[in-house]
Amino acid sequence: MVTHEHGRRRFLQMLASSPALAGGIGLGSLLGASSPAEEELITAADQAVNVLEFEAVARKNLPPWHYAYIATGVTDDSTLKANRDAFGRYQLHTRRLVDVSKVDTSVKLFGEVWETPIMLAPVGSQRAFHPEAELVTARAASAQKHNFIVSTHSSTSIEGVNKVMERPAWFQLYPTDDWNVTRAVVKRAENAGCPVMVLTVDSQNGALRDTLFKVRRSAPVKCTDCHIGGFTYNAVASRRPMFAGLDLSKVTTQLPLNMTWDVLPRLKELTSMKLLIKGIVTKEDAALALQHGVDGIIVSNHGGRSEDSKRASIDCLPDVIAAVNGKVPVLVDGGFRRGTDFFKALAMGASAVCIGRPYLWALAAFGQTGVETMLTLLRKELQIDMRQAGAASVKQITGEFLVR
Ligand SMILES: Cc1cc2nc3c(=O)[nH]c(=O)nc-3n(C[C@H](O)[C@H](O)[C@H](O)COP(=O)(O)O)c2cc1C
């Protein structure tokens, strides 16, 4: 039997001796080209100076094929890279001698107050990163008072997650191509107490995740040994708790290719949950989303893992904010890693910001303590940046603080 550690070592040796496999940001980082030496890795969550330090530990702890699932973008990973690089184009116009003795990071969304605008984005299959999967993330988010959006593809049921959270999580929907299934899943999330549903519209089956596919191809274990039935959408759905007990015989895709804007009023008819749309990156689509009745928008390119637009989320945000003109909250995700990143999005007018990979790294590195510490670090960075810039509350973080 090939253990993960044994498989990982063999795999890295093989990859290192195979120049044909090199190339692409993901593979380079899988090889540890730009990563700290083993002795420089943090060994406990409280040693982390910033959230980026969790990544190398996650890479060490996970089998490469699971780490690659986190790391991958699409094609040459350039949209993934764009999400980070773009922050460098915006600078802070900081002010002095402002009373920042008390800094208030709270935000109000859909009538609920959150102590922080930093939220956990929906990420499926978290059992690949920790045996207790979303339960650990949920406990950490709840303990640190952050919102958590649970994926349709979670490894844990929405009921299980909500049981360990002080406030019920938000639910992210992949509608599938069978409306009976959609209806049942939506009802289940509503019955579990979720106040908000997020429809993801930016991720078709078959994204060109070259980095992931190269690693899978070269893996010394067969992915299908664990992923029984393989990676067709029907097989994937049949393994997800959210679809348990449903007839999936007609389900072939997570996002039907013929789905158009009328899905929004149809979903609103099904549920009293607030409806957000995730994956909007243009002013035109923001306007259409509003016309079709959404309660909020998440600007996102799926962390650079869906289309190869090469356009960063933070660059799309101002267009969407302008089109929405304050009518509904606009959230954003994609590449947010430092306090100043959050500050910049808030200055552009975002109501909240979601993170994906940082909490997966922390989860794989140190479990619940890792995720809690990672969240504490991000909150602390945002507070320090607010003080340093001269903004005592999120409301005070306006466009005046940004220079491009
Ligand atoms: C491993 C992984 C799985 C994801 N699964 C989902 C998902 O099931 N549903 C969804 O709407 N977005 C999913 N996303 C996208 C995230 O919600 C989010 O948009 C993205 O991670 C934000 O970028 P960041 O990772 O750079 O913070 C996933 C992202 C990753 C990294």
Side-chain angles (χ1 to χ4, degrees):
M1 194 184 135
V2 183
T3 63
H4 279 160
E5 185 47 31
H6 178 66
R8 181 179 173 277
R9 263 186 277 119
R10 259 183 53 198
F11 171 80
L12 290 176
Q13 280 160 7
M14 182 271 299
L15 212 55
S17 63
S18 170
L21 285 174
I25 295 164
L27 275 182
S29 70
L30 278 168
L31 276 167
S34 58
S35 65
E38 181 95 18
E39 63 275 12
E40 288 168 25
L41 293 186
I42 54 169
T43 53
D46 63 5
Q47 293 170 2
V49 171
N50 61 55
V51 306
L52 300 167
E53 291 204 286
F54 292 107
E55 181 174 13
V57 185
R59 178 170 45 219
K60 175 174 158 276
N61 287 358
L62 291 173
W65 36 99
H66 286 179
Y67 174 70
Y69 181 58
I70 300 177
T72 195
V74 283
T75 63
D76 59 359
D77 293 339
S78 52
T79 309
L80 174 78
K81 189 167 177 298
N83 274 348
R84 280 297 302 140
D85 292 349
F87 287 106
R89 286 198 286 276
Y90 304 91
Q91 294 98 42
L92 301 188
H93 182 71
T94 54
R95 301 298 308 277
R96 309 293 183 220
L97 298 179
V98 177
D99 179 357
V100 285
S101 50
K102 288 198 185 99
V103 165
D104 176 10
T105 58
S106 69
V107 291
K108 196 170 181 185
L109 271 173
F110 309 118
E112 276 195 279
V113 176
W114 295 94
E115 280 182 21
T116 163
I118 303 169
M119 308 194 159
L120 276 62
V123 165
S125 313
Q126 292 187 25
R127 189 152 296 124
F129 318 124
H130 191 285
E132 284 187 78
E134 288 82 4
L135 283 186
V136 181
T137 307
R139 284 191 202 110
S142 196
Q144 294 299 322
K145 304 197 182 312
H146 289 250
N147 191 18
F148 176 30
I149 311 176
V150 177
S151 166
T152 300
H153 293 162
S154 62
S155 312
T156 313
S157 71
I158 187 71
E159 295 84 358
V161 165
N162 281 350
K163 222 178 259 169
V164 301
M165 292 197 67
E166 203 173 285
R167 306 192 217 180
W170 292 5
F171 177 70
Q172 176 267 326
L173 178 73
Y174 280 127
T176 83
D177 47 355
D178 181 343
W179 195 253
N180 289 325
V181 171
T182 313
R183 187 185 298 113
V185 167
V186 171
K187 282 288 156 207
R188 189 168 159 186
E190 186 168 74
N191 292 339
C194 300
V196 174
M197 183 168 76
V198 175
L199 172 72
T200 298
V201 294
D202 63 0
S203 191
Q204 308 285 355
N205 285 128
L208 300 171
R209 295 182 179 159
D210 290 12
T211 294
L212 172 65
F213 299 154
K214 286 184 201 170
V215 173
R216 266 195 201 154
R217 181 186 64 197
S218 319
V221 291
K222 271 209 215 95
C223 295
T224 46
D225 288 351
C226 295
H227 299 265
I228 310 292
F231 295 101
T232 64
Y233 188 68
N234 187 274
V236 169
S238 67
R239 296 192 293 262
R240 299 287 176 255
M242 206 55 211
F243 296 109
L246 300 178
D247 173 8
L248 299 179
S249 56
K250 297 198 189 83
V251 168
T252 64
T253 184
Q254 60 188 17
L255 190 65
L257 292 173
N258 62 357
M259 198 173 84
T260 53
W261 292 98
D262 61 3
V263 70
L264 295 173
R266 279 186 89 191
L267 283 173
K268 286 204 70 121
E269 263 172 39
L270 281 188
T271 179
S272 58
M273 289 182 280
K274 296 283 182 203
L275 179 62
L276 268 59
I277 187 165
K278 173 172 182 277
I280 298 301
V281 287
T282 61
K283 58 181 186 307
E284 294 86 351
D285 282 350
L288 281 164
L290 276 184
Q291 274 169 36
H292 289 84
V294 292
D295 299 299
I297 291 178
I298 305 185
V299 174
S300 175
N301 56 25
H302 219 93
R305 49 198 284 125
S306 286
E307 82 258 343
D308 186 20
S309 68
K310 309 193 193 303
R311 192 163 176 239
S313 281
I314 193 76
D315 285 335
C316 302
L317 181 63
D319 282 358
V320 173
I321 296 266
V324 167
N325 197 18
K327 293 192 185 79
V328 297
V330 176
L331 290 73
V332 61
D333 72 23
F336 288 80
R337 308 288 182 260
R338 306 296 313 219
T340 49
D341 302 339
F342 298 100
F343 189 96
K344 288 170 188 177
L346 295 168
M348 288 176 185
S351 300
V353 180
C354 305
I355 50 164
R357 292 177 182 86
Y359 82 83
L360 304 180
W361 301 331
L363 177 66
F366 301 110
Q368 183 172 343
T369 317
V371 180
E372 287 199 41
T373 308
M374 187 276 310
L375 291 169
T376 308
L377 280 167
L378 286 182
R379 271 201 320 273
K380 196 170 122 200
E381 283 194 23
L382 176 59
Q383 280 167 1
I384 289 171
D385 293 328
M386 286 171 69
R387 266 191 221 116
Q388 196 60 39
S393 68
V394 170
K395 257 204 194 106
Q396 284 181 18
I397 307 177
T398 62
E400 309 260 297
F401 284 99
L402 276 192
V403 201
R404 199 181 159 152

